[in-house]
Amino acid sequence: MNPSAPPNRWMSKTAVNGFLLLAVLYMLFPLVWLVTAATKDTGDLLAGNAFSFEGFNLGENLSDLAAYGDGIYFRWYVNSLLYAGVGALACSLICVAAGYAFDKYDFRGKEKLFGLVLMGVLVPTTALALPMYLLASKTGVVNTYWSVLIPVLVNPFGVYLARVFCTGYIPDEALEAARIDGAGELRTFWSIGLRMVMPGFVTVFLFQFTAIWNNFFLPLVMLSDRELFPLSLGLYAWNTNTHGEPSFYPLVVTGSLLAVIPLIVAFVSLQRHWKAGLTAGSVK
């Protein structure tokens, strides 16, 4: 500390740090509860002893979770990984390609078309669920994997974000140099543009992965076969049974704890890409 600093400055720093500490505690509190509650049996949960250290039933809870319904929970887990992983990867590639085209090419009606994309950001996804269901019903893909995968391939906000990243991360000179060397437009995008805008690609991927992983309303509308459920819909179905069968409480809590793991892994493993420099893909 600098003793010559005015008292008001240290008071303001203390207030800000205190506020940030309270915010961190507020955000971590549900996760801490989830971790401790997953170690309790039904009696301890109903008695409100989730934060106590008495009893450790995590192993039995995991065993019950794996055994219930012939392991249907882990089928839901694989479904969620499929929906979120494949959907977010394909959506990110589409968004980056669209943002690249909007930024680097000139064509008739470009700004008007981009304005339509921005209007799509304002439309809530829940408002589109019924029209998408009717379209899926017409094409015969209702109650299939495609009914959930196809709608998540389009993300207007991802296109907008990708255009912003392309503007800042891809200098026109690098693309011109690639064209002079004889690279085609697709090769230029794949080898130069996509590599340089990788931080933007990862950002769009994480946003979309989180959105699809937590998506509830679209699978609820599209799916009726529980074998196709994602985790969000499967855990909701179990939670509706807790009032009649309290034994579902440990299953829901333990399943919710395991459902957080892929999100944490994705953010921790991909955060280094956000630190990439402006010329991250320009090396030959």
Side-chain angles (χ1 to χ4, degrees), residues 129-205:
L130 182 57
M132 285 191 293
Y133 173 79
L134 296 177
L135 288 174
S137 178
K138 289 289 185 180
T139 55
V141 297
V142 172
N143 202 32
T144 66
Y145 286 109
W146 296 110
S147 63
V148 178
L149 273 175
I150 293 177
V152 300
L153 297 180
V154 180
N155 183 2
F157 179 72
V159 176
Y160 163 76
L161 200 61
R163 183 179 184 181
V164 172
F165 271 98
C166 288
T167 302
Y169 277 63
I170 307 177
D172 294 335
E173 293 79 5
L175 302 182
E176 288 300 326
R179 296 184 182 112
I180 292 174
D181 289 339
E185 294 300 323
L186 185 60
R187 175 67 182 273
T188 301
F189 166 72
W190 185 260
S191 299
I192 304 297
L194 184 59
R195 293 175 184 269
M196 297 181 73
V197 80
M198 189 55 66
F201 180 90
V202 173
T203 301
V204 176
F205 175 84

Side-chain angles (χ1 to χ4, degrees), residues 10 39 47 57 112 124 164 187 206 219 236 251 261 274:
W10 295 115
T39 65
N57 208 53
K112 293 182 180 179
V164 172
R187 175 67 182 273
L206 288 177
Y236 169 78
L251 297 179
I261 295 177
W274 290 339

Side-chain angles (χ1 to χ4, degrees), residues 200-235:
F201 180 90
V202 173
T203 301
V204 176
F205 175 84
L206 288 177
F207 276 133
Q208 191 68 358
F209 184 89
T210 304
I212 300 173
W213 189 267
N214 295 326
N215 195 5
F216 170 76
F217 194 66
L218 179 64
L220 177 66
V221 172
M222 294 291 187
L223 303 176
S224 59
D225 184 0
R226 73 170 194 161
E227 297 287 333
L228 303 177
F229 283 4
L231 279 175
S232 57
L233 189 56
L235 290 175

